[in-house]
Structure formats: structure tokens, C-alpha cells
Amino acid sequence: MLHKLLLLFVISLTVCNGVIAQKLRNDLQKRQQRLFKEIDALNKQLEQTKDNEKDAMQSFTAIEKKIKAREELANNISSEISQLDGSISLNEKEINRLSGELDTLKINYAKSMVFGYKHRGSNHYLNFLFSATNFNDAIKRMAYLKSYRQYRTTQAETIIKTQNLLKQTKTTLTNNLNEKSAALTAHTTQLTALQQDKEKKDQVVKQLKDQEKELLAEINKREKEKRKLKNAIELAIRKEIEEENKREKLRLARLKAEEDEKKRLARAKEINEAKAARIKAANKPNTVKTKPVANDDVAAKGVAGTVKNSKENGSTFSSVADGSLASLNFKNNKGNLPWPISGGVVSGEFGLQQVTKNIKVVNDGIFIKTQVGSTVKAVADGQVLTIINLGDYKAVMIKHGDHYTTYNMIDDVTVSKKETVKAGTILGKVSPNLKGEGEFEFMVTNENGKYFNPRSWLRAK
């Protein structure tokens, strides 16, 4: 019974370890598939720009992204190889342990069979039973004989199960070795391709050095547009904060006026009640009573006037509250927001991009290369703060509480200022860039004008 329980425990442990190891390998393979897709997309992008010398900057960005993806892929395969090494080591130890246990089980089973053969006559069992000193002793001896027969049966079953488990473990080991061999081949292939990508990068950098003057002129032109956009964004945020402060002051002033009016009404009521009490005490039936409600009428008119004026002022403070609620949706979905466009390839990452010694670019958002006319959608609920006209194209800025998203380089804008939008609302279409290609910029800022990497807000592709 003990051997059976131990075997069941070993089988359960082996299966559990196998499931965990397989899950980890599946996760690694999923990441590999994602990286292969990204590299394929970058290869297509490079294929489109290889014959166009003016697209050297695009080629540089694509090849650098490809190198990073290739390095991540190589590291991913290395992790898979390390995991396979661990599985192989565990399976080899398990095979050795099972082989030793199987030998022990076979030896013990052989001994029990020899013992059974020597005592195969029924007289031995009868003599064993009849030599009992009393009835209880005879019952115990019968139980012993029964358990002994069951033990031999269990031994045979345990040997068969151990053999099957040993065979299964050997099959798993063989599969692990084959997977490791394939992974090593793939790793070598990726390292070779990585070296080729680095050589390609060196060629593109040399090409960029030859085009430095043209590129610097293009970068300077884009920098002017960027400064114009940044100034417009900062101005829009500053105006929104000022308007919010005005609305807040108006709200507080209105609340104070209402509170003062309540106090005045309460005071007028006290005076009227006091007058009524004095008249009643004087008990002068011929005296014409004044209408104590006059002050109340005046006060009521004052309140009505206040409410009317409040409505005429048209306070939109409640819409600010709505924006705050929307910002919870934006913040709570950080890292899981949908992308503003479907498809395309990130052609410019956030932050500093050092191209050559003399050429560097600082991006306030991410640039996505896609088809001209691709649909641009809002990534979260919010309110359109402003629409910035940049000449050749426009930028739509949406408020999400204390954060803002900006969708730059679009045209055919379909929303208007102060309009409430939902995640997925169509904002416009991607406009051609300076080279006539489809390119789109997406930015995330807060109320202090700080720019964030949009990738940290968008879900991983």
C-alpha cells in the first residue's frame, strides 16, 4: 500500500512539474511569435524604403527597432533553452530514480514469487492456520495470508505503472532534447541575422551621414512644427485650468450667496415671528395687522432671482466633474488602452533618438507609419479640449481629467470642441506627412505639461 501511495505521489508530482514547465514554454513561445510578427512587419517596411534614399531616416528607425526585437527574440530563445536544460536534468534524475526503484520492485517481487513457489502446496497454508493457538489468532493469520496475496498483486501493478512512467519520462526527455536542438538552431540563426542587421544599420548610418544637411533641414522644419504644437497644447491646458478656476470661484460665490440668502431669510422670519408675538400679547383686535410675509415675499423673490441668475450664468462645473469621472476610466486602464489606429508600425519611439553624432531627435510621443486615410479613434472617454490647426494637418486634444491625449497629423476631423467622446469615437483620418506618406503621432500629457511614453498607457501588441 505504501509503495502504491508513493508511486501515486511521484506520478502527481511529475505531471505537475510537467504542466508548469509546459506553461512557461508556451509563454515563451507566444512572445517569440509576437516578435517574429514584429520583425516581419519591419522587414516589409525596410523592403518598401530600400530603394528610396530619402527614406534613410525611416530605414534607420526600422532597422534599430528590428535589432531590438531580434535581441529580445535571441534572449527569449536562450531562456527557453535554459528551461529545457532544467527539464532535461530533472527528467534524467527521474529516470535514474525510477530505474533504481523498478530494479528494487523486481527483486522484491522475484523473492515473493520464489517464496510462493516453494510453499505452493495448500498443506503449508493449512498447517499455518491450524497451528493457531486460538480462534482470534486464526483470524489474524487468515488476514495476513490475504494481505500477502494482495501485496504480491500490488507489487505487479506497481512494477507495470513504474515501467509506464519510466517510458513516459524517457519519451519526454527525448522530446526535450529535440526541442533543445531546434532551439539551439533557431538561436544560432537569430544571432547570425542580428549580426547582419547590425551591419545593415552601419550602412544606413553611413548613408545618413552623407545626407546630414538634408536631414537636419527636415528635422529643423519638424522641430518648428513641434514647437508650434507644444505651445498650442500648453496654451490649451493653461486656458482650461484658468476656466476651471473661474468656474470654481463662480460656484463658491454662488454657494456663498445662497448661504447668505438663507441666513437673511431666517433672520427675517425671526423678526416677523417676534412682531406677531408682540401683537398677540397686546391683544388689540382693531389694530390692522401688517403682513409679516412681505419680507418673505421679498426674500423669495431674491432667491428666485438668484436661481434665475445662476441659470443664466450657465455654469459648466458639472461637466468638469464628468471629466474627472472619465479620468478614472483613463487611469484605471493604464497599460490596457486600445491603440488609436489599427495596424501600422511604430516608426518613431518616445524620447531621445540618437541617429548619428550630429543628428538626434527628441519625440514627445510615438510616430506610427500607416496608410494615408487610416481611421483615428479616441483611446478613452473624455472631452475634446481643442482642435489645433497646424496648416497641412490638424491635432485633436482630448481631456481625461488631469491627463490629455493628443492625436496629431490628422485631417477630416469629425469631432468639435467641448464634445464628449467615448473610447473608440472616430476623430479623423491620418494625413500625409512632409514626404506624402501616412504617419500619425500620439501623445500623452498631464495638466503640468509633462509628456509620458504612450506605450506605458497602451496595451502591448
Side-chain angles (χ1 to χ4, degrees), residues 133-398:
T133 56
N134 53 48
F135 181 74
N136 289 334
D137 187 23
I139 294 296
K140 291 180 180 178
R141 291 183 180 221
M142 287 180 66
Y144 170 76
L145 291 173
K146 183 179 179 181
S147 63
Y148 181 73
R149 289 193 189 96
Q150 187 176 357
Y151 168 69
R152 287 200 302 176
T153 303
T154 303
Q155 274 187 314
E157 292 175 352
T158 304
I159 288 172
I160 293 172
K161 288 180 180 179
T162 304
Q163 287 175 332
N164 290 336
L165 182 59
L166 180 60
K167 183 180 178 181
Q168 180 183 345
T169 307
K170 285 182 177 179
T171 301
T172 303
L173 177 61
T174 301
N175 292 337
N176 289 157
L177 290 170
N178 291 336
E179 288 175 3
K180 180 182 177 181
S181 177
L184 286 169
T185 301
H187 188 254
T188 302
T189 301
Q190 294 305 320
L191 289 178
T192 303
L194 179 61
Q195 184 59 36
Q196 292 173 352
D197 289 340
K198 289 181 177 179
E199 291 174 358
K200 176 65 177 176
K201 179 184 175 182
D202 292 339
Q203 295 174 6
V204 174
V205 169
K206 184 179 182 300
Q207 184 180 350
L208 287 170
K209 286 181 178 178
D210 296 337
Q211 300 175 3
E212 274 193 358
K213 288 184 179 179
E214 297 176 12
L215 288 171
L216 285 172
E218 181 183 329
I219 290 171
N220 289 333
K221 185 176 180 180
R222 179 164 283 188
E223 281 295 315
K224 289 180 180 178
E225 292 182 350
K226 187 174 81 171
R227 283 195 296 271
K228 183 179 179 180
L229 178 60
K230 286 186 74 171
N231 291 336
I233 290 173
E234 291 171 3
L235 179 61
I237 293 174
R238 188 164 59 249
K239 282 185 176 180
E240 178 63 17
I241 292 173
E242 289 174 357
E243 288 179 9
E244 282 187 359
N245 291 336
K246 287 179 181 178
R247 288 193 292 267
E248 180 64 10
K249 286 179 180 179
L250 180 62
R251 186 183 72 88
L252 293 174
R254 186 173 67 251
L255 290 174
K256 186 177 183 302
E258 290 174 355
E259 188 65 26
D260 291 343
E261 187 63 21
K262 287 179 183 178
K263 290 179 181 179
R264 193 186 68 76
L265 288 174
R267 179 60 181 161
K269 185 177 180 181
E270 289 176 2
I271 293 172
N272 289 334
E273 288 176 351
K275 285 182 179 179
R278 286 196 300 272
I279 292 171
K280 187 177 180 180
N283 195 17
K284 295 178 180 179
N286 295 328
T287 303
V288 179
K289 296 183 180 180
T290 58
K291 293 183 180 180
V293 295
N295 289 332
D296 288 341
D297 291 340
V298 174
K301 290 178 181 178
V303 172
T306 302
V307 173
K308 183 179 179 183
N309 289 337
S310 174
K311 291 181 179 179
E312 288 176 353
N313 286 336
S315 172
T316 57
F317 187 75
S318 61
S319 66
V320 176
D322 291 341
S324 298
L325 291 174
S327 72
L328 293 176
N329 182 33
F330 182 79
K331 288 182 178 178
N332 289 344
N333 286 284
K334 183 176 182 179
N336 197 37
L337 291 172
W339 284 65
I341 60 173
S342 300
V345 178
V346 176
S347 56
E349 294 289 351
F350 174 82
L352 175 64
Q353 311 296 313
Q354 189 75 44
V355 183
T356 66
K357 184 178 179 181
N358 299 322
I359 300 176
K360 65 179 180 179
V361 180
V362 179
N363 295 330
D364 296 322
I366 56 174
F367 287 87
I368 303 173
K369 190 172 183 180
T370 184
Q371 295 293 327
V372 174
S374 296
T375 302
V376 179
K377 299 178 181 179
V379 299
D381 300 350
Q383 186 183 58
V384 178
L385 182 63
T386 187
I387 298 172
I388 304 167
N389 192 337
L390 297 168
D392 295 332
Y393 40 77
K394 295 180 177 64
V396 175
M397 191 173 176
I398 298 178

Side-chain angles (χ1 to χ4, degrees), residues 61-81:
T61 303
I63 197 70
E64 191 158 66
K65 282 177 62 63
K66 186 179 172 185
I67 287 172
K68 289 180 180 178
R70 188 85 72 183
E71 287 174 342
E72 185 181 348
L73 181 58
N75 292 334
N76 187 285
I77 296 173
S78 294
S79 298
E80 185 181 6
I81 292 171

Side-chain angles (χ1 to χ4, degrees), residues 11 13 28 66 69 75 232 328 386 431 445:
I11 292 173
L13 187 62
L28 288 170
K66 186 179 172 185
N75 292 334
L328 293 176
T386 187
S431 173
T445 53

